[in-house]
Amino acid sequence: MNETTKNNAGFGDAAGVPSIKICLISLYSSSCIGLRYLASTLKRNGFDVSMVFFKDKDIALDLMARPTLKEYDLLLETVAKLQPAIVGIGVRSSFLTIAKEITSRIRRTLGKPVIWGSTHPTVAPEDSLEFADIVCLGEGEHALLDLAQSLCRGDARRDIENLWYKDDGRIVRNAIRPLYDELDKLPFPDYGDEQKHFIQNDEIVAGDPGRKAFNLDVMTSRGCPYHCTYCSNSMFRELYRGKGCAVRRRSVRNVLDEIKAQSEKLPGLRRIDFIDEVFSWDKTWVEEFVEGYKRDVRLPFHCMQHPNAVNREVLKMLRDAGLERVEMGIQSGSERMRTAVFLRAVPDEKLIAASQVMHDVKITPFYDIIVDNPFETSEDKKNGLDLLLKMKRPFYMHMFSLTHFPNTALTKRALEEKLITEDQVEGRATASFDQFYVSLSHPRPAEDRFWLSLYSLTSKSFVPKALIRGLSKLDALKKHPGLLVAFADACNYLKLGGIAIKWMSEGKPVLRSLGERRKSSKQGSRIV
């Protein structure tokens, strides 16, 4: 037994508690790291856990097809055969309509209680209890384990921290337990074909779709140190105020042990994606990580970084260990917008300097930009283009349509200022489901299509910046941007061709992905 196993052995105690069957359902994610942590925690404590992966999304090509009636039927048949005592569903606001339909069918047809967890129940618990029997707020490992053990004993506890219930029309709002800071004691996310099922394309396949992954998602920490008004993480911090340190980190040894253990289960693994909100905020930890990663792993990896945390020395160390790509949020090209609306105080000079650092250490940056923002003026959009033209090439870019998640500070402000309606709040709306990455073909006002096309061109090193500046001054294109959109789309496809060649050299299943792209006639090219 290694040191990690010894540490993990202390999480939970199943002694003397009989087992029950539990079914966990993931919506549109084969990685679903949160549910995999729940599954491994329950299994370690003696529970019989099945996982059903209900459809998946192709993030690379921005494809998410809505469920068919046959797929709903297959899910119901699968749950019926598994005979769980309780069903858990991870619910993001974007998939609320689908979660409601699944929950209604399970409760009505099978009579099984359903618990919702993940971001939507955390930010909108009362709304969630209109459909689910129980909702879990915040982190769920201890709460779900307490619930499972309570069901085994038959005592039907209603005082479990983090769980809310509806009891004769009255909502039971239990307290939030302190944040768990001994992350090394958590078992690794559950991978493997045993008791896993994948529903996609009107078929059900036995086994774990995550085992076919090219990349492995790994979280070395939990929590985010920032307070951006559009993000559900800011609400998470409020939920846990006074309940412990919001940002917690695992030991380097524990992280490396996970990668080693999971790589033995994932035969096609070629890359590690560290999905921490901010990866390199602790230089001492990074130094130990780099030494261990170069010795024990030696796979290319990606990570996310906040511009305020970009450090030349740290990035150079990570690059030498295999870091290929950094995803960094610009979010708005307007400094006014970042500071006054998003509460993300990053001056233009800091962003430009960060781009220079990444260029110098030969790391490819992926910049995230939020568009379709009702707070932005024409001047803000022009400033956004000016900033992007100052960023060092080459770079890639992801443009996201602003999603108004329930109850965030930004959503509340937009509603108060009547910039949006309740029907545009995610849950009622499906903005990120319909358009996860921005497509230039998506319907929007002419001026917005004009600016988005210009933004898109900034990431194309083969398009001269002087040409982009010249195009930005043509008022006729602003009113009638069709030709500009076509040009930007053509440039997207040229760059996608280069990416496809790179993917093939890395062994990615490019031909299958391109085949799925051809099946979707409504999809335009995504921004790269």
Side-chain angles (χ1 to χ4, degrees):
M1 179 181 290
N2 62 34
E3 192 61 31
T4 299
T5 306
K6 290 178 183 176
N7 286 342
N8 286 342
F11 186 82
D13 180 8
V17 179
S19 178
I20 60 170
K21 293 183 178 182
I22 300 168
C23 176
L24 301 177
I25 299 174
S26 169
L27 303 181
Y28 289 86
S29 176
S30 60
S31 59
C32 59
I33 192 168
L35 282 185
R36 289 184 186 272
Y37 266 114
L38 294 178
S40 59
T41 298
L42 291 166
K43 284 184 175 182
R44 167 174 292 169
N45 287 271
F47 292 98
D48 185 341
V49 183
S50 298
M51 295 187 72
V52 180
F53 302 88
F54 189 67
K55 302 185 70 64
D56 203 357
K57 58 181 177 288
D58 189 332
I59 285 292
L61 296 177
D62 189 19
L63 296 173
M64 285 193 287
R66 295 184 182 279
T68 65
L69 290 176
K70 184 174 182 180
E71 287 168 339
Y72 280 125
D73 290 342
L74 286 171
L75 177 60
L76 202 65
E77 291 168 11
T78 303
V79 175
K81 290 177 183 177
L82 293 172
Q83 296 184 318
I86 190 167
V87 177
I89 306 177
V91 183
R92 290 171 49 196
S93 300
S94 305
F95 306 131
L96 179 60
T97 301
I98 296 167
K100 286 160 56 176
E101 179 66 20
I102 291 171
T103 301
S104 175
R105 286 171 175 248
I106 291 173
R107 296 178 68 196
R108 183 177 66 249
T109 307
L110 304 180
K112 303 293 184 182
V114 178
I115 177 172
W116 284 9
S118 193
T119 52
H120 189 79
T122 298
V123 303
E126 288 93 347
D127 175 62
S128 299
L129 277 173
E130 292 296 316
F131 313 102
D133 298 283
I134 310 168
V135 299
C136 178
L137 285 70
E139 296 178 357
E141 287 91 355
H142 284 86
L144 190 55
L145 179 59
D146 285 351
L147 175 63
Q149 291 174 340
S150 172
L151 292 173
C152 284
R153 291 190 298 265
D155 58 12
R157 283 180 58 192
R158 287 290 186 269
D159 61 347
I160 297 173
E161 293 174 317
N162 288 46
L163 301 187
W164 287 19
Y165 307 80
K166 212 166 193 180
D167 189 3
D168 292 329
R170 180 179 64 90
I171 295 178
V172 178
R173 298 175 174 85
N174 289 314
I176 299 299
R177 67 187 69 210
L179 281 165
Y180 189 64
D181 59 6
E182 297 183 272
L183 299 184
D184 281 9
K185 291 186 177 181
L186 291 172
F188 302 143
D190 179 38
Y191 280 88
D193 288 332
E194 183 182 0
Q195 294 178 288
K196 295 189 177 66
H197 312 268
F198 180 39
I199 296 173
Q200 180 91 322
N201 299 326
D202 285 344
E203 295 178 339
I204 182 166
V205 179
D208 185 349
R211 291 194 69 237
K212 300 178 182 179
F214 174 89
N215 58 296
L216 172 68
D217 287 349
V218 176
M219 291 181 67
T220 74
S221 64
R222 292 191 178 188
C224 180
Y226 298 99
H227 309 264
C228 305
T229 57
Y230 53 80
C231 183
S232 57
N233 272 318
S234 60
M235 300 182 66
F236 182 92
R237 291 179 66 91
E238 286 301 312
L239 179 70
Y240 279 101
R241 183 178 293 277
K243 297 288 185 176
C245 182
V247 183
R248 296 141 289 148
R249 191 152 222 170
R250 299 161 58 188
S251 71
V252 168
R253 183 69 264 160
N254 186 251
V255 172
L256 298 179
D257 283 348
E258 178 191 348
I259 295 172
K260 180 181 178 181
Q262 306 296 25
S263 65
E264 294 172 356
K265 302 176 184 179
L266 308 178
L269 183 63
R270 298 291 184 275
R271 189 185 76 216
I272 306 300
D273 286 348
F274 292 106
I275 59 173
D276 307 70
E277 299 292 343
V278 183
F279 184 70
S280 58
W281 44 269
D282 182 341
K283 184 180 177 183
T284 301
W285 188 95
V286 169
E287 290 173 340
E288 183 183 350
F289 166 82
V290 165
E291 179 182 352
Y293 195 88
K294 290 166 71 173
R295 180 186 63 242
D296 297 342
V297 182
R298 300 184 298 278
L299 284 175
F301 66 95
H302 297 176
C303 71
M304 294 188 286
Q305 192 59 284
H306 191 284
N308 285 340
V310 170
N311 177 283
R312 184 183 299 270
E313 182 183 355
V314 168
L315 286 183
K316 179 64 167 59
M317 287 192 294
L318 292 172
R319 177 69 181 89
D320 291 343
L323 176 61
E324 289 186 335
R325 185 188 89 183
V326 169
E327 185 171 353
M328 187 179 81
I330 293 176
Q331 310 309 14
S332 174
S334 162
E335 188 171 325
R336 180 195 75 84
M337 181 62 52
R338 293 193 303 273
T339 303
V341 180
F342 287 170
L343 299 188
R344 185 181 174 88
V346 183
D348 288 350
E349 292 75 17
K350 176 78 75 171
L351 291 166
I352 296 166
S355 79
Q356 182 67 55
V357 168
M358 286 186 280
H359 177 79
D360 291 345
V361 300
K362 296 181 172 56
I363 291 173
T364 303
F366 273 63
Y367 298 132
D368 293 342
I369 305 286
I370 297 173
V371 299
D372 299 328
N373 179 355
F375 291 94
E376 283 192 338
T377 64
S378 295
E379 186 65 21
D380 289 323
K381 295 167 188 174
K382 178 184 179 300
N383 290 340
L385 178 64
D386 291 341
L387 175 65
L388 289 171
L389 287 170
K390 293 175 184 176
M391 306 298 274
K392 197 74 176 179
R393 287 170 162 177
F395 64 84
Y396 295 90
M397 183 164 55
H398 293 155
M399 285 202 279
F400 299 91
S401 185
L402 177 60
T403 302
H404 303 283
F405 291 112
N407 298 321
T408 64
L410 190 70
T411 296
K412 290 178 179 178
R413 177 174 173 178
L415 288 169
E416 289 171 1
E417 296 182 17
K418 301 190 185 306
L419 296 173
I420 63 170
T421 67
E422 292 283 356
D423 287 338
Q424 291 172 279
V425 177
E426 198 73 352
R428 293 191 184 185
T430 55
S432 55
F433 185 95
D434 296 330
Q435 186 192 204
F436 186 79
Y437 292 113
V438 163
S439 165
L440 298 180
S441 64
H442 195 77
R444 51 175 51 87
E447 183 178 340
D448 286 346
R449 297 176 73 205
F450 170 78
W451 288 115
L452 266 59
S453 297
L454 293 171
Y455 285 6
S456 171
L457 291 173
T458 63
S459 68
K460 314 302 186 294
S461 297
F462 52 85
V463 179
K465 291 185 177 181
L467 174 61
I468 300 171
R469 290 191 181 96
L471 292 171
S472 72
K473 297 175 182 178
L474 299 178
D475 289 338
L477 280 180
K478 187 179 293 187
K479 296 176 182 177
H480 305 285
L483 287 176
L484 179 61
V485 172
F487 176 57
D489 253 337
C491 291
N492 274 336
Y493 281 114
L494 280 174
K495 193 165 184 178
L496 279 169
I499 293 172
I501 292 171
K502 183 176 185 294
W503 281 2
M504 285 189 287
S505 71
E506 295 174 345
K508 265 192 171 183
V510 177
L511 294 179
R512 176 178 61 81
S513 293
L514 292 179
E516 290 181 4
R517 160 67 73 177
R518 286 193 293 270
K519 293 178 185 177
S520 181
S521 61
K522 294 183 179 180
Q523 293 289 330
S525 66
R526 53 171 283 201
I527 312 303
V528 292

